[in-house]
């Protein structure tokens, strides 16, 4: 009896193991088939190799080959200015490395706007585009927007002063949408804290440099911060004290010419008699 019971138990365990084996094979086959079907139905996405940061990179840090790695990136979503070749990112090797201009997080794409040229420092010269010049404007708490200006912001420049021959001051908009490249000696665009600056350096054309220099020497310059997404152009603006207070200057009073009266005087004894006569016409 015990032998029969043992045989039945062994047979039952064998059948159970065989059932588990068959079920496992069936599930694995189904999963493999499903994966193959998904792979066949997946859209073909063209990819390219792009350099990304392996670690967090701070402003002013030298960019070395150990700081970057290559990953596959969808070609249709490739960021503008991304580096795809080692010779483009390090054209002269690590003898003249690039410098980080903006903080980059790990696995963030290395782009041209975030680094300097080979061998350049993260100074003002690396922020200037071709044909542009750096010009420093003296500011204080009120004229510098209370310290909220940062490199990369755009500002409108107003001049306040007195024109030659004028007896009253007026304020006029002289430059619009000027880009700031440094606040005091700081050119880091990632700096978030407020700076009570004494000078703000802007990127302008040579003709604008001459205009700003003349304006700064003859009056007071004030800055107005432009919104990050504001692409409008400010109209010509000029305000004096009278227009600010709404005072309308009265027109000069013009008196009508007095009527001409012609007379003739005659003497009769000790008396002088005045007699009106018609005036002669020319």
């Amino acid at each position: 009896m015990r032998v029969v019971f043992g045989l039945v138990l062994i047979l039952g365990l064998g059948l159970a193991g065989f059932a588990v084996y068959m079920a496992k094979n069936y599930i694995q086959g189904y999963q493999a088939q499903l994966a193959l079907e998904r792979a066949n139905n997946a859209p073909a996405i063209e990819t390219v190799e792009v350099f990304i940061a392996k670690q967090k990179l701070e402003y002013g840090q030298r960019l070395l080959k150990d700081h970057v790695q290559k990953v596959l990136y969808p070609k249709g979503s490739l960021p503008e200015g991304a580096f795809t070749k080692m010779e483009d990112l390090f054209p002269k090797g690590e003898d003249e490395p690039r410098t980080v201009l903006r903080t980059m997080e790990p696995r963030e794409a290395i782009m041209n706007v975030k680094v300097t040229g080979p061998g350049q420092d993260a100074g003002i010269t690396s922020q200037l585009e071709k044909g542009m010049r750096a010009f420093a404007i003296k500011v204080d708490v009120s004229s510098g927007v209370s310290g909220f200006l940062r490199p990369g912001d755009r500002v409108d420049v107003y001049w306040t002063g007195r024109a030659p021959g004028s007896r009253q001051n007026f304020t006029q908009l002289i430059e619009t949408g000027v880009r700031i490249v440094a606040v005091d000696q700081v050119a880091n665009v990632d700096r978030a804290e407020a700076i009570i600056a004494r000078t703000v350096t802007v990127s302008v054309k040579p003709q604008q440099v001459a205009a700003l220099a003349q304006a700064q020497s003859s009056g007071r310059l004030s800055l107005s911060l432009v919104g990050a997404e504001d692409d409008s152009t400010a109209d010509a603006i000029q305000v004096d004290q009278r227009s600010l207070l709404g005072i309308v200057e009265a027109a000069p009073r013009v008196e009508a010419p007095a009527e001409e009266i012609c007379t003739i005087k005659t003497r009769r004894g000790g008396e002088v008699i005045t007699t009106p006569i018609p005036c002669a016409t020319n």
Side-chain angles (χ1 to χ4, degrees), residues 19-264:
V20 171
Y21 174 77
M22 292 298 293
K24 183 179 179 181
N25 286 344
Y26 174 78
I27 293 174
Q28 288 179 344
Y30 175 77
Q31 290 178 339
Q33 241 181 357
L34 183 61
L36 181 61
E37 185 178 354
R38 287 177 177 174
N40 292 333
N41 294 334
I45 300 177
E46 187 178 0
T47 59
V48 293
E49 289 187 324
V50 175
F51 283 99
I52 64 170
K54 294 171 59 176
Q55 62 194 53
K56 185 173 183 179
L57 301 176
E58 303 284 353
Y59 171 84
Q61 183 176 350
R62 292 292 187 180
L63 184 66
L64 304 177
K65 293 181 180 179
D66 292 340
H67 297 155
V68 301
Q69 70 180 64
K70 268 189 172 184
V71 296
L72 292 177
Y73 207 94
K75 187 175 182 180
S77 303
L78 187 67
E80 185 178 355
F83 292 94
T84 59
K85 298 179 181 178
M86 181 66 74
E87 54 268 26
D88 292 337
L89 184 57
F90 299 100
K92 300 182 180 179
E94 293 188 346
D95 295 334
E96 296 186 10
R98 298 176 185 266
T99 305
V100 178
L101 290 176
R102 301 181 185 178
T103 300
M104 287 179 275
E105 299 297 331
R107 303 193 65 80
E108 184 175 347
I110 308 293
M111 294 191 292
N112 192 45
V113 296
K114 298 179 181 179
V115 293
T116 66
Q120 292 183 351
D121 293 325
I124 293 180
T125 54
S126 62
Q127 305 283 346
L128 296 176
E129 299 175 0
K130 184 177 180 180
M132 306 300 284
R133 304 291 186 269
F135 181 81
I137 299 176
K138 298 178 182 179
V139 295
D140 52 28
V141 176
S142 59
S143 63
V145 199
S146 300
F148 289 106
L149 298 177
R150 296 187 307 166
D153 289 340
R154 294 181 301 116
V155 293
D156 293 338
V157 183
Y158 291 82
W159 176 83
T160 301
R162 182 179 299 178
S166 175
R167 295 184 178 181
Q168 61 176 343
N169 290 338
F170 67 93
T171 299
Q172 181 172 334
L173 175 64
I174 59 174
E175 296 293 345
T176 61
V178 176
R179 186 172 68 90
I180 297 176
V181 294
V183 177
D184 281 344
Q185 281 74 43
V186 179
N188 183 5
V189 298
D190 295 318
R191 188 164 182 173
E193 64 270 18
I195 305 174
I196 306 301
R198 290 175 295 180
T199 58
V200 170
T201 304
V202 295
S203 174
V204 289
K205 296 179 180 180
Q207 180 64 30
Q208 293 174 299
V209 171
L212 290 173
Q214 178 63 31
Q216 189 161 242
S217 65
S218 60
R220 181 173 180 270
L221 297 182
S222 300
L223 307 181
S224 175
L225 184 61
V226 179
E229 299 182 359
D230 188 355
D231 57 356
S232 61
T233 303
D235 298 328
I237 299 174
Q238 180 174 320
V239 178
D240 58 18
Q241 294 176 350
R242 290 184 177 275
S243 60
L244 177 65
L245 300 175
I247 300 175
V248 180
E249 186 175 0
R253 183 178 179 181
V254 179
E255 297 183 358
E259 184 180 355
E260 186 178 6
I261 301 176
C262 301
T263 60
I264 185 172

Side-chain angles (χ1 to χ4, degrees), residues 1-10:
M1 187 69 179
R2 292 181 179 178
V3 175
V4 174
F5 178 77
L7 292 174
V8 172
L9 179 61
I10 294 173

Side-chain angles (χ1 to χ4, degrees), residues 261-280:
I261 301 176
C262 301
T263 60
I264 185 172
K265 296 181 179 180
T266 58
R267 180 181 294 276
R268 292 182 180 178
E271 182 180 4
V272 177
I273 300 174
T274 302
T275 305
I277 61 174
C279 295

